[in-house]
Amino acid sequence: MYKVDFMRTAIRLSVANAKKGGGPFGAVIVKNGKVISSGVNNVTKKNDPTAHAEIEAIRRASKFLNSFNLSGCELFTSCEPCPMCLSAIYWANIKCIYYGNTRKDAANIGFIDDHIYKELNSPLRKRKIPVSQHLRDESLMAFEVWQLSDKKIPY
């Protein structure tokens, strides 16, 4: 399959999901020229705000490969990833992203992420959701235990 075919698969998933009342987003993850997972937006179906198409595809790819590291994988998605999905893509070590619709296209139909981008660029004390630090010294214990552990798996 060619890249355009993988994009068309993601688009077909997004259209089919929209026809069923789900969010109009679809994604596929490809490794070595083969689709290893796919996902659609299941936010309302699962009552899970993290069930975006890209996240669903990443979860399935991780299970399929039995690894949290998706190095060598490519992501094809019907829309430019939101901040949450983009972060997950980086955490998963996916090597590249191909997308169809832009975040502006998504905003035009009510999926607006600009407030999140703005919040990420704001100092903690100026964010809309209050953020405050507590018990740092006690919290550091978990980091110390992990750092010294011979069972840790770095990622």
Side-chain angles (χ1 to χ4, degrees):
M1 288 180 85
Y2 296 99
K3 288 180 177 31
V4 69
D5 296 318
F6 297 131
M7 273 304 305
R8 285 190 175 124
T9 299
I11 293 165
R12 272 194 302 276
L13 288 168
S14 69
V15 171
N17 203 50
K19 286 180 179 178
K20 292 189 276 183
F25 306 98
V28 295
I29 294 180
V30 173
K31 185 161 188 175
N32 299 325
K34 294 183 181 175
V35 174
I36 62 166
S37 72
S38 64
V40 295
N41 183 290
N42 285 315
V43 169
T44 58
K45 180 181 177 186
K46 293 183 174 181
N47 288 319
D48 178 352
T50 69
H52 291 199
E54 297 90 341
I55 300 294
E56 297 281 274
I58 288 169
R59 289 173 178 157
R60 289 187 180 111
S62 294
K63 281 185 183 177
F64 179 80
L65 296 175
N66 195 31
S67 177
F68 56 83
N69 188 338
L70 303 182
S71 293
C73 292
E74 301 171 294
L75 175 76
F76 295 80
T77 181
S78 63
C79 187
E80 181 180 356
C82 75
M84 175 186 68
C85 293
L86 186 59
S87 296
I89 291 162
Y90 275 95
W91 277 112
N93 296 304
I94 291 173
K95 72 177 185 176
C96 59
I97 303 165
Y98 302 95
Y99 68 91
N101 295 312
T102 67
R103 69 188 199 202
K104 185 176 182 200
D105 296 328
N108 287 339
I109 62 165
F111 293 93
I112 301 170
D113 298 330
D114 285 343
H115 68 286
I116 300 170
Y117 287 104
K118 288 175 186 169
E119 284 287 293
L120 291 172
N121 288 321
S122 296
L124 292 177
R125 69 187 184 287
K126 291 189 176 186
R127 292 190 180 168
K128 289 186 171 78
I129 298 175
V131 178
S132 59
Q133 185 178 31
H134 300 276
L135 302 175
R136 179 176 181 263
D137 291 341
E138 292 179 39
S139 298
L140 282 171
M141 185 183 306
F143 284 7
E144 292 165 3
V145 168
W146 185 85
Q147 194 171 21
L148 297 172
S149 174
D150 60 351
K151 297 177 184 174
K152 72 178 172 230
I153 302 171
Y155 55 97

